[in-house]
Amino acid sequence: MKKTKKMFCFAVLFSVMFAILAFPVKSDAASMAGKWKKDSNGYWYQFNSGGYAKSEYINGSWLNSKGYWEKKWDGKWKHDSKGWWFQAGSWYPKKQWLTINRKSYYFKADGYMATNCWIGRYYVDKNGVWTKTKSGTSAKTKRLPAPTYPAGSAVKKWGALQVKGTNLCTAAGTKVQLKGVSTFGIIWDEGRYNINLDAFKTLKSWGTNVIRLAVYTEEYGGYCNNSDSVERKTLDDTIANAVGYATKLGMYVIIDWHILQDGNPNTHIKEAKQFFADYSNKYANYKNVIYEICNEPNGVGWSDVKSYADTIIPIIRENDSDAIILVGTPTWSQDVDQVASNPVKNKKNVMYVVHFYASTHKEWLRDKVTNALSAGTPVFVSEFSICDASGGGSIDYSSAAAWKKLINSKNISYVGWSLSNKAETSAIIKNSCSKHSGWTNSELSDTGVYLKNWIGGK
Ligand code: IDC
């Protein structure tokens, strides 16, 4: 009899609790979705997302480490002029984390809730809620001081770029179009000698304001290919030199983690984490460095690419809160239309990559770009050519013209492949030309002349 009465009291207690319990300012209850359940051991709380509450408060009730209701529902947020604390009877948390309505808070030695600060590896925001955790990947590089950029240069005029809506904009918020050239594999002979100050000057004289550095990962001489004689130091030195030239000329520069045959960016995620920790630290004070985190994912779906991006972006953001980050898309950076329904978590200054080779990729890929833009996805064409997808074959001028029209009308940034004299159509320098800067039109390939004219507004 007595027992039944007690259970009855509990039932009343819980219903009343749901009816009257409201936190005045900290309206955490809204974020908590689930149901109270009961078994022979007592009450417990099942989340809609699966799992159950344990060692935490749910609507003021303490659930123990086994997940069972333990104490009276006496936990309440309180505050005074010094801040918030959480009072449960005569007890209040101090020097500890506590999860309250599915959010974690840190209470300092005096019992007040911590705000806007790091507690070890964990960050609590202005509401005291734990929002992020340090990646644990720390940079092995030294942070360079902020450089100066020459008068009249793109970087001097536009500053640190930002993304607004689907547009790339100047620091002041004006729409801007980057246009430029991608190096060939930075270590490959047909490309490496074209990475020099005079070469970049030549490109600048065409109107180029961005250079992309193709740092292959798995191919020969790649950053993650340890089976050949190319040392990482050579790659790092080349990147350092190239960023130096671009900076000296006031051009933007994209550090491109050029995955290709590795297909899934997660294949080398360990190396990628270290790479982007190192470079975002080194260039945190540079306004002109852009990070492209995975050239061309292939054989892998957007959810895997997104999970990779959601790992790498926070690592970059730990060092650099606003650099532009370019995220490749599945099917060799074509599926940009898949992003809108499931974008990366930290969207600030992130753009998504489309690559096209005009002889292979036609109206259907242009439609994807248009659809992505209409759905609010910022698009950046960080690599293209006007031949076929092998980098060879013949030029399709009519498809190229359709792309040019689309890109210019939507103010999309574009970067042509590639600054090389290899015997392939996409190489912008003729194979017969061995100059490494100062190319005249007759030393450029047909692709090179086309790119130069486009960049030059012709
Ligand atoms: C190509 C080079 C080619 C090289 C090959 C290595 O042009 O000389 O042998 O890489 O796999 C891409 C890639 C880019 C390719 C290019 C042409 O991003 O690395 O470069 N391409 O195939 N995507 C579509 C085309």
Side-chain angles (χ1 to χ4, degrees):
M1 180 63 192
K2 209 175 168 195
K3 202 175 173 196
T4 323
K5 199 173 167 197
K6 201 168 168 190
M7 289 316 293
F8 177 73
C9 283
F10 272 157
V12 171
L13 188 72
F14 276 99
S15 1
V16 171
M17 182 180 95
F18 286 123
I20 65 165
L21 202 85
F23 296 113
V25 180
K26 302 186 71 64
S27 57
D28 293 332
S31 71
M32 184 199 62
K35 272 194 195 75
W36 285 100
K37 301 231 167 170
K38 199 189 151 221
D39 63 22
S40 56
N41 292 312
Y43 286 91
W44 54 284
Y45 194 84
Q46 170 98 60
F47 295 123
N48 289 346
S49 54
Y52 57 93
K54 49 178 187 259
S55 302
E56 63 191 282
Y57 271 95
I58 295 290
N59 268 354
S61 286
W62 176 252
L63 296 166
N64 68 20
S65 59
K66 295 208 164 87
Y68 286 103
W69 184 87
E70 200 173 271
K71 279 192 208 147
K72 243 179 95 200
W73 51 284
D74 57 358
K76 275 198 182 72
W77 282 105
K78 303 229 168 168
H79 76 121
D80 63 17
S81 59
K82 287 206 231 147
W84 289 87
W85 75 94
F86 193 75
Q87 184 80 44
S90 59
W91 176 85
Y92 58 93
K94 359 181 218 290
K95 261 187 156 171
Q96 73 169 90
W97 287 93
L98 189 64
T99 304
I100 302 166
N101 293 346
R102 303 222 68 190
K103 290 181 179 170
S104 298
Y105 302 88
Y106 186 78
F107 297 90
K108 297 176 287 186
D110 57 8
Y112 284 105
M113 178 186 84
T115 55
N116 284 327
C117 62
W118 289 97
I119 308 293
R121 286 178 57 211
Y122 308 100
Y123 188 80
V124 287
D125 69 7
K126 64 178 190 312
N127 298 314
V129 178
W130 162 60
T131 42
K132 57 183 175 187
T133 304
K134 274 193 187 146
S135 63
T137 308
S138 36
K140 296 191 178 130
T141 47
K142 258 192 18 209
R143 187 168 295 195
L144 299 176
T148 53
Y149 304 97
S153 66
V155 183
K156 183 79 179 177
K157 281 189 289 185
W158 300 336
L161 302 178
Q162 52 169 328
V163 179
K164 290 174 88 183
T166 56
N167 298 302
L168 186 61
C169 295
T170 65
T174 316
K175 281 190 209 174
V176 79
Q177 185 182 33
L178 294 188
K179 34 194 193 172
V181 182
S182 178
T183 68
F184 200 50
I186 58 167
I187 211 70
W188 295 347
D189 283 346
E190 303 93 335
R192 62 194 298 186
Y193 304 111
N194 301 323
I195 299 174
N196 62 72
L197 185 64
D198 282 339
F200 287 14
K201 265 190 198 157
T202 305
L203 300 178
K204 187 179 170 180
S205 75
W206 301 356
T208 295
N209 51 32
V210 63
I211 306 272
R212 175 185 190 240
L213 309 175
V215 184
Y216 278 85
T217 50
E218 201 168 283
E219 271 78 357
Y220 170 79
Y223 213 85
C224 309
N225 182 338
N226 300 318
S227 63
D228 56 57
S229 58
V230 178
E231 288 182 21
R232 264 189 202 170
K233 179 163 185 323
T234 314
L235 292 163
D236 287 322
D237 289 349
T238 308
I239 298 169
N241 291 337
V243 172
Y245 306 140
T247 302
K248 194 159 184 198
L249 298 168
M251 298 161 98
Y252 294 90
V253 56
I254 301 170
I255 299 180
D256 157 38
W257 185 250
H258 202 89
I259 69 154
L260 187 58
Q261 72 182 22
D262 24 355
N264 186 339
N266 295 297
T267 309
H268 293 298
I269 192 166
K270 191 166 160 257
E271 293 94 330
K273 282 163 79 173
Q274 191 62 52
F275 181 85
F276 286 105
D278 287 348
Y279 278 97
S280 60
N281 178 56
K282 183 168 184 179
Y283 295 122
N285 294 319
Y286 281 51
K287 295 176 183 172
N288 59 326
V289 175
I290 295 173
Y291 301 98
E292 181 168 1
I293 64 173
C294 50
N295 169 50
E296 290 188 354
N298 57 89
V300 70
W302 170 243
S303 61
D304 287 322
V305 179
K306 178 184 139 61
S307 119
Y308 167 82
D310 284 335
T311 306
I312 301 298
I313 293 169
I315 292 177
I316 297 175
R317 289 291 177 244
E318 262 170 48
N319 295 317
D320 192 325
S321 61
D322 53 15
I324 302 293
I325 298 176
L326 307 179
V327 180
T329 54
T331 322
W332 297 278
S333 285
Q334 291 165 40
D335 297 340
V336 75
D337 54 331
Q338 292 180 8
V339 170
S341 59
N342 190 19
V344 299
K345 279 192 200 143
N346 183 349
K347 301 176 189 63
K348 184 181 174 191
N349 289 348
V350 168
M351 303 187 87
Y352 299 89
V353 166
V354 169
H355 287 173
F356 73 87
Y357 283 72
S359 295
T360 307
H361 308 117
K362 311 224 168 155
E363 197 61 33
W364 53 272
L365 187 53
R366 291 190 287 274
D367 287 347
K368 278 178 182 248
V369 172
T370 311
N371 292 340
L373 288 171
S374 324
T377 304
V379 174
F380 194 111
V381 174
S382 62
E383 187 187 301
F384 80 96
S385 190
I386 53 177
C387 57
D388 72 34
S390 72
S394 57
I395 293 175
D396 184 332
Y397 283 104
S398 87
S399 174
W403 275 106
K404 183 173 166 183
K405 193 170 160 215
L406 173 73
I407 285 174
N408 281 348
S409 72
K410 306 276 189 198
N411 213 44
I412 299 172
S413 296
Y414 60 93
V415 178
W417 182 260
S418 76
L419 188 58
S420 123
N421 74 340
K422 186 172 173 175
E424 62 179 5
T425 320
S426 57
I428 67 168
I429 304 158
K430 274 187 186 154
N431 185 240
S432 55
C433 171
S434 53
K435 279 164 69 177
H436 297 303
S437 64
W439 309 282
T440 62
N441 274 14
S442 62
E443 289 162 340
L444 294 176
S445 66
D446 292 346
T447 302
V449 172
Y450 189 92
L451 181 63
K452 180 184 168 188
N453 286 339
W454 184 358
I455 289 172
K458 286 179 206 150

